[in-house]
Amino acid sequence: MTIAIRKPSLGSAATAFLAKPHKLLIDGKWVDAKSGQTFPVEDPATEEVIAHVPAGDKADIDAAVAAARRAFETGPWSRILPGDRSRLVWRLGDLLEQHADEFAELEALDNGKPVTNARRDDVQGSINMFRYMAGWSTRLTGETIPVSSPGNWHVYTLREPVGVVGQIIPWNFPLMMAAWKLAPALAAGCTIVLKPAEQTPLTALRFGELIQEAGFPDGVVNIITGYGETAGAALANHPDVDKVAFTGSTEVGKLIVKAAAGNLKRVSLELGGKSPAIVFPDADIDRAISGTASAIFYNQGQCCTAGSRLFAHKSVYDRVVEGVSAEAGKIKIGHGLDPNVNLGPLVSKEQHNRVRGFLESGRKEGAEVVTGGNVPGNQGYFVEPTVLANTNRDMRVVREEIFGPVVCVQSFDDDDLEAVAKFANDTEYGLQASVWTSNLKVAHMMARKIRAGTICINNHNYGDPAWPFGGYKQSGWGREMGKEVMEHYTETKAIAALL
Ligand code: NAI
Ligand code: MG
């Protein structure tokens, strides 16, 4: 299979942004990296360099943390009323909506994802996140607590912002992951140093302009582009950062935990997954087929929640394998900026090599390639949507996160839910699972038995700002979104007054 990669033209706003010099945002000013170094940003569909951004490192992180500390302790932000904070966070949603098409184009170009998905999910999801979180600014209440000590006590709690927060963002949903972290931290009154992924820095930099336009005081949000090993590590290690929020690989998550030990900063982690999608014989099979196909092929499989282990009951196994393979065949591959494309390239050469390595390992270990398995064209980081059948728990493709459009199908022949849950739970991860059935009891009993932070019934890859999201086991620490996320960005202060 070959594909012709034609790069559609960009709109004028995105073109104008790309042509500008790109800088770091520190203390309300756009500045070069102190070292003067930059690095190239690539279009993963054409392998062309589309921009250069500053290679921030420890010196820039130090300046950004100092600015965030000043803004937190002495600047106007430290005295802002909750209602005014709420209005500013809400305004970010409005500004993003005004520039939604530009952001969708920049995201499609930088990450490779289909522009229609970027507009519908990444950009709209970010708008929704700012609007939802804006409401929390005025709802962070403490409690009065009845105590049993003798005497007249008035005991109560306050919720205060945790302080200066470091936020390290991945490349699979660059803008949306930034929104998931910025929105609650700002709503809580924190100040921030944000480090986007080196593969996809563009929408974060453009968003920095909206932060200024919205009217946030200087130093409240600082944005440092740079590599993980330099800028990211400096942020995670920084003794004056109160909390670090990270989304990315489990491997780096463990490094963040070690780095945080220096000053015992608070840590929240959203890490890898190997999520099961389980199809029971009584499921609406057509819906299960299109849903489980989308669970793995959406965003080129680069979702932490991707339904990468597909379990089908033996009575429907053949239909499911055939159906998901047929869905794979219908997918149109091409440049993400083409509005008719459903599957773009992977984000980088590194990820391309990684996924190709998994395909090779799957073949060697005896998986049957029902469809896909190849790299189409000779330009860009494309991988065909791939269905591997007859896989088993001992294969690397079943155990490790592939982060590409590759699903491993296994059959189960047990009707005992305990036994089915055992298959599903046979992983070091626990981020998401989906259960496909029309039997309410099966659905909800499975939801209880699976050890994962999020369970989807007759859907997969669900998300909503009000839905707490995060992982069990090695999929992470803590929850993002919903009211739960506010725990990460606030401290509880308990006050006891003897009257
Ligand atoms: P990564 O974990 O290295 O990158 C994520 C972020 O962490 C980036 O901003 C990066 O600059 C930063 N980072 C890297 N090393 C760091 C360090 N030592 N200290 C502080 N920050 C650091 O992920 P990578 O290498 O790009 O992808 C490898 C695999 O990770 C993928 O194949 C996938 O399995 C997984 N991944 C999972 C994601 C998720 O959503 N949970 C997102 C991205 C990758
Ligand atoms: Mg890495």
Side-chain angles (χ1 to χ4, degrees):
M1 180 184 180
T2 54
I3 46 162
I5 303 304
R6 196 181 52 84
K7 178 179 171 184
S9 57
L10 275 181
S12 56
T15 306
F17 175 73
L18 272 187
K20 282 209 282 202
H22 301 295
K23 307 219 175 199
L24 308 173
L25 180 59
I26 301 179
D27 208 10
K29 287 164 212 66
W30 292 98
V31 296
D32 292 319
K34 287 188 196 302
S35 68
Q37 300 289 307
T38 64
F39 63 89
V41 183
E42 203 185 12
D43 170 356
T46 61
E47 304 179 40
E48 283 165 14
V49 173
I50 50 175
H52 286 85
V53 300
D57 62 20
K58 183 173 181 306
D60 308 291
I61 291 288
D62 285 346
V65 171
R69 176 60 60 193
R70 278 193 303 278
F72 183 71
E73 291 191 351
T74 55
W77 184 252
S78 65
R79 299 180 293 275
I80 193 171
L81 299 175
D84 293 334
R85 221 163 56 216
S86 174
R87 230 183 356 252
L88 284 174
V89 176
W90 182 275
R91 203 174 286 161
L92 288 176
D94 285 350
L95 286 171
L96 202 46
E97 193 166 56
Q98 279 169 31
H99 301 281
D101 293 338
E102 177 191 351
F103 273 89
E105 287 181 11
L106 287 173
E107 204 73 312
L109 179 67
D110 198 3
N111 165 280
K113 65 177 65 200
V115 66
T116 39
N117 295 2
R119 175 67 188 85
R120 186 194 62 204
D121 304 330
D122 299 65
V123 179
Q124 193 58 48
S126 303
I127 295 167
N128 297 346
M129 183 62 67
F130 285 109
R131 290 183 176 155
Y132 171 84
M133 290 298 168
W136 276 109
S137 296
T138 51
R139 288 160 179 76
L140 295 171
T141 55
E143 294 179 314
T144 52
I145 298 168
V147 293
S148 305
S149 325
N152 282 322
W153 291 94
H154 175 47
V155 173
Y156 63 100
T157 57
L158 296 176
R159 296 280 293 279
E160 297 183 339
V162 72
V164 174
V165 177
Q167 302 187 325
I168 301 176
I169 309 297
W171 42 259
N172 51 344
F173 293 91
L175 175 69
M176 197 163 77
M177 291 300 100
W180 281 24
K181 291 189 171 32
L182 287 169
L186 290 170
C190 300
T191 60
I192 296 151
V193 178
L194 181 90
K195 196 208 78 68
E198 52 269 44
Q199 296 84 350
T200 54
L202 295 180
T203 47
L205 292 177
R206 177 68 182 100
F207 195 69
E209 298 179 346
L210 298 192
I211 286 168
Q212 293 191 300
E213 194 179 335
F216 282 87
D218 292 348
V220 172
V221 180
N222 305 273
I223 303 176
I224 305 292
T225 51
Y227 292 105
E229 296 75 9
T230 51
L235 190 53
N237 271 293
H238 205 291
D240 204 28
V241 168
D242 297 298
K243 177 209 156 51
V244 65
F246 171 78
T247 298
S249 61
T250 295
E251 183 193 349
V252 173
K254 291 177 185 177
L255 295 178
I256 303 277
V257 169
K258 286 191 188 133
N263 69 337
L264 289 179
K265 57 176 68 67
R266 282 87 183 99
V267 177
S268 53
L269 303 170
E270 200 265 276
L271 308 175
K274 195 73 190 174
S275 299
I278 309 162
V279 183
F280 285 90
D282 61 9
D284 172 338
I285 293 293
D286 291 338
R287 193 168 152 196
I289 286 169
S290 67
T292 56
S294 151
I296 185 65
F297 301 136
Y298 177 74
N299 211 40
Q300 298 71 243
Q302 300 168 138
C303 297
C304 46
T305 50
S308 50
R309 290 183 301 142
L310 174 55
F311 294 95
H313 188 272
K314 69 168 192 251
S315 64
V316 291
Y317 177 84
D318 289 341
R319 266 180 81 191
V320 169
V321 170
E322 242 168 66
V324 172
S325 304
E327 291 286 321
K330 287 187 221 156
I331 290 174
K332 184 161 187 260
I333 306 178
H335 198 291
L337 282 174
D338 178 341
N340 299 312
V341 155
N342 322 109
L343 192 103
L346 301 183
V347 74
S348 65
K349 190 174 210 72
E350 189 184 344
Q351 288 304 115
H352 200 228
N353 288 339
R354 195 184 152 98
V355 173
R356 287 161 69 182
F358 274 112
L359 290 172
E360 204 179 303
S361 139
R363 281 194 175 98
K364 273 200 191 126
E365 289 184 308
E368 178 198 344
V369 183
V370 183
T371 187
N374 298 310
V375 167
N378 50 15
Q379 181 197 34
Y381 308 128
F382 293 92
V383 173
E384 288 174 355
T386 301
V387 176
L388 301 179
N390 294 325
T391 56
N392 65 59
R393 65 178 301 281
D394 298 320
M395 295 179 174
R396 250 190 84 214
V397 282
V398 172
R399 305 216 69 76
E400 295 180 27
E401 183 173 53
I402 299 177
F403 233 56
V406 183
V407 67
C408 298
V409 201
Q410 300 174 65
S411 72
F412 64 94
D413 58 7
D414 211 314
D415 294 318
D416 167 18
L417 298 188
E418 207 64 58
V420 180
K422 224 171 143 188
F423 290 125
N425 289 331
D426 185 14
T427 166
E428 67 195 28
Y429 295 114
L431 194 56
Q432 184 159 99
S434 62
V435 181
W436 300 81
T437 176
S438 51
N439 181 323
L440 278 176
K441 182 173 173 188
V442 168
H444 293 291
M445 289 306 289
M446 284 302 292
R448 290 180 187 196
K449 289 179 193 299
I450 296 174
R451 295 200 24 91
T454 54
I455 310 285
C456 297
I457 297 172
N458 295 324
N459 70 90
H460 200 108
N461 285 339
Y462 181 74
D464 185 276
W467 201 59
F469 177 84
Y472 281 32
K473 303 195 271 184
Q474 293 195 38
S475 289
W477 287 354
R479 296 293 176 269
E480 298 198 279
M481 308 199 286
K483 68 176 188 299
E484 276 79 358
V485 71
M486 301 317 298
E487 300 289 327
H488 295 315
Y489 292 107
T490 55
E491 294 275 15
T492 299
K493 181 178 278 176
I495 296 155
L498 185 54
L499 303 177

